[in-house]
Amino acid sequence: MTIGGGPRGPAVLVIEPMGNAGRFLVEAAERLGLRLYAATHEDIHDGYPVWLRSALTGVCATDLTDTPKALRDMDVFCRRHSVSGVVACFELFTPLAALLARRVGLPGNDPALAHAARNKIRMGEAFAAAGVPAPRWTVVHDAAEAQRVARSGELGRPLVVKPAEQGGSWGVSVVYTPRELPRAVEAARRYTHAHPHGLELDTRVLLQEYVPGAEYSCDTIVADGVAHPLPVVRKDTTEGRYRIETGHTCPSGLAPPLARKVQDVAARAALAVGVRNGIAHTEVKIPRGTQTPRVIETGARLPGDNLCEVVEAATGVSEAVACLQAVLGREPDTVASRARAAAIRFLLPERGGVLRRVSVPEIPGTHSELHLSPGDTVPEPADSSCRVGHVVAHAETVDQACGLAGRVAARSRVEVG
Ligand SMILES: Nc1ncnc2c1ncn2[C@@H]1O[C@H](COP(=O)(O)OP(=O)(O)OP(=O)(O)O)[C@@H](O)[C@H]1O
Ligand SMILES: [Mg+2]
């Protein structure tokens, strides 16, 4: 079924543009003079904000949870609207995008490997096959099996327990004693279907070796199988059982040789999970005292968390523009045009409840956004859904950017009752 339509420029089909990266794709499509189409469910399209609806030339309404039907519908749609590129915004739909690109004959990722960018068990296998340094892991089916692994000490201590398929740190916990394992395994198995499409998830649970040290992310544009590394970003999280992002900073502060190692390992991770035309978002940790980044995960999608804005403010590179260029089979613009800095900090609650009051000071050089309003329910701070808002700072230097964003975050008030 087709809603809307109209001629102008080459066309790209976005498989579900809802989510943080969607607005950056919309902006990038404008800059490149592209027609943007969305593939989504009719009821989800009904809930699109006005800015997204008005940016779309048309919509392929289908059922993204039914792969054969979605492929048939999108194939017909792509041919009817002369679509020249396909991109998935949601990580869970990246294998679908790879299958569609292959079927329509457009630049895309390797469908045989694409599942490894969505499923952390397949990802672990792909990393092992390609020699990408990553934490050791095993699959467990219940808490008793997890406790046997913990007691054996084969993966060390603490352990990370996580769902095979999920994002936003949902269901991820760092477990310090075997006693905590039943709750952690239960939390990791909780998600049987993904919001909002109802896509069925692999409910198997991974136990991973814990990698200590500082965390970074690095995105990679891949064009025709050639990796173009983007800048490294420092990622800060909470400590303890739940690792929720507290912020990101670009540039990362790493010495250039180590930053290049991160870019190299991120590119290898992207290629290992079959990224050939598009972008990958890779997270790594570097154990203190070592120069060896280890890959926590990679996804064949644009980053969330406003990282597109952070990277562009710091370097002038638009990840969304480069990603669209790659999926159209064009040469991507990935060379930095400026050396500034940007930082984002998230406003997190101390506990779950009802948001009573929230205030964020205005400081020049910063802008903030609230994700929740007074009266809204604030989830327990166990994953990224508890974010009340964020502040972004753009500045000349990384110290200035961190100082500005940190000052706004420190002076913000979040009251949960
Ligand atoms: N093996 C590990 N060793 C150390 N820390 C880890 C490990 N696995 C995960 N973490 C921590 O937990 C966070 C979330 O884990 P992971 O990235 O695997 O889950 P996710 O749900 O895909 O996360 P997100 O979408 O928030 O990036 C990581 O960013 C990291 O801080
Ligand atoms: Mg992650």
Side-chain angles (χ1 to χ4, degrees):
M1 180 181 165
T2 303
I3 306 166
R8 188 173 76 92
V12 170
L13 178 70
V14 187
I15 302 181
E16 193 49 80
M18 284 289 275
N20 182 260
R23 53 183 255 233
F24 297 102
L25 274 179
V26 163
E27 264 174 39
E30 289 251 314
R31 288 193 224 171
L32 292 170
L34 305 176
R35 281 177 292 145
L36 208 57
Y37 292 98
T40 185
H41 298 203
E42 206 164 355
D43 55 336
I44 291 176
H45 175 255
D46 289 344
Y48 277 8
V50 174
W51 63 264
L52 179 54
R53 277 168 179 270
S54 55
L56 296 171
T57 306
V59 175
C60 172
T62 184
D63 180 357
L64 296 171
T65 69
D66 179 343
T67 298
K69 174 175 166 41
L71 284 174
R72 269 196 315 275
D73 290 347
M74 292 191 291
D75 184 357
V76 170
F77 188 93
C78 285
R79 293 176 197 284
R80 182 177 303 147
H81 296 277
S82 307
V83 167
S84 314
V86 174
V87 63
C89 229
F90 265 48
E91 183 165 295
L92 295 169
F93 294 131
T94 54
L96 190 61
L99 288 169
L100 179 66
R102 165 72 58 89
R103 179 167 170 150
V104 184
L106 295 173
N109 296 336
D110 181 350
L113 280 170
H115 235 81
R118 150 178 172 171
N119 184 303
K120 291 185 172 106
I121 297 172
R122 303 275 285 268
M123 191 182 297
E125 290 164 355
F127 286 168
V132 173
R136 289 174 295 141
W137 58 277
T138 190
V139 178
V140 293
H141 299 90
D142 53 34
E145 200 178 346
Q147 280 172 324
R148 274 197 297 280
V149 174
R151 284 198 201 95
S152 76
E154 64 195 73
L155 295 178
R157 205 178 266 192
L159 287 169
V160 183
V161 183
K162 59 175 78 170
E165 294 185 325
Q166 216 8 303
S169 307
W170 290 20
V172 178
S173 17
V174 178
V175 170
Y176 294 84
T177 67
R179 224 171 6 97
E180 301 167 80
L181 275 166
R183 189 170 146 202
V185 169
E186 215 31 61
R189 293 158 65 129
R190 190 182 312 142
Y191 304 101
T192 58
H193 293 80
H195 180 76
H197 306 87
L199 190 69
E200 198 175 338
L201 298 173
D202 179 350
T203 55
R204 285 178 294 170
V205 174
L206 276 99
L207 240 51
Q208 274 184 352
E209 169 193 10
Y210 177 80
V211 179
E215 189 162 358
Y216 300 87
S217 70
C218 178
D219 299 342
T220 312
I221 293 288
V222 186
D224 216 5
V226 177
H228 301 252
L230 295 169
V232 179
V233 175
R234 160 103 188 192
K235 167 173 171 171
D236 292 301
T237 69
T238 51
E239 290 292 318
R241 177 195 289 263
Y242 302 117
R243 303 297 167 104
I244 313 167
E245 287 98 345
T246 52
H248 304 272
T249 308
C250 185
S252 65
L254 283 178
L258 192 47
R260 276 196 295 278
K261 275 194 182 178
V262 171
Q263 290 177 314
D264 177 60
V265 87
R268 285 169 54 203
L271 296 174
V273 299
V275 180
R276 299 290 177 265
N277 292 281
I279 191 165
H281 172 69
T282 304
E283 294 171 332
V284 308
K285 290 191 82 174
I286 310 178
R288 219 185 313 281
T290 80
Q291 303 275 307
T292 313
R294 297 177 71 191
V295 177
I296 300 298
E297 64 154 344
T298 191
R301 55 165 175 85
L302 280 158
D305 290 6
N306 280 51
L307 280 169
C308 289
E309 175 189 344
V310 168
V311 168
E312 183 164 8
T315 66
V317 176
S318 164
E319 299 202 9
V321 164
C323 173
L324 287 173
Q325 289 167 323
V327 301
L328 286 165
R330 300 180 185 173
E331 189 60 28
D333 294 327
T334 57
V335 179
S337 59
R338 65 172 88 109
R340 287 172 53 87
I344 184 166
R345 297 289 176 264
F346 298 105
L347 306 179
L348 303 175
E350 273 173 15
R351 61 196 167 88
V354 174
L355 186 62
R356 299 287 176 212
R357 211 170 73 91
V358 53
S359 65
V360 184
E362 283 180 26
I363 295 185
T366 71
H367 56 275
S368 56
E369 206 176 301
L370 291 177
H371 308 183
L372 299 175
S373 310
D376 285 349
T377 300
V378 181
E380 285 300 316
D383 57 54
S384 60
S385 64
C386 72
R387 285 176 191 163
V388 174
H390 69 251
V391 53
V392 185
H394 298 189
E396 287 300 325
T397 69
V398 86
D399 286 349
Q400 285 167 354
C402 291
L404 283 169
R407 209 172 315 144
V408 173
R411 292 185 194 167
S412 296
R413 292 285 163 265
V414 173
E415 283 176 30
V416 176

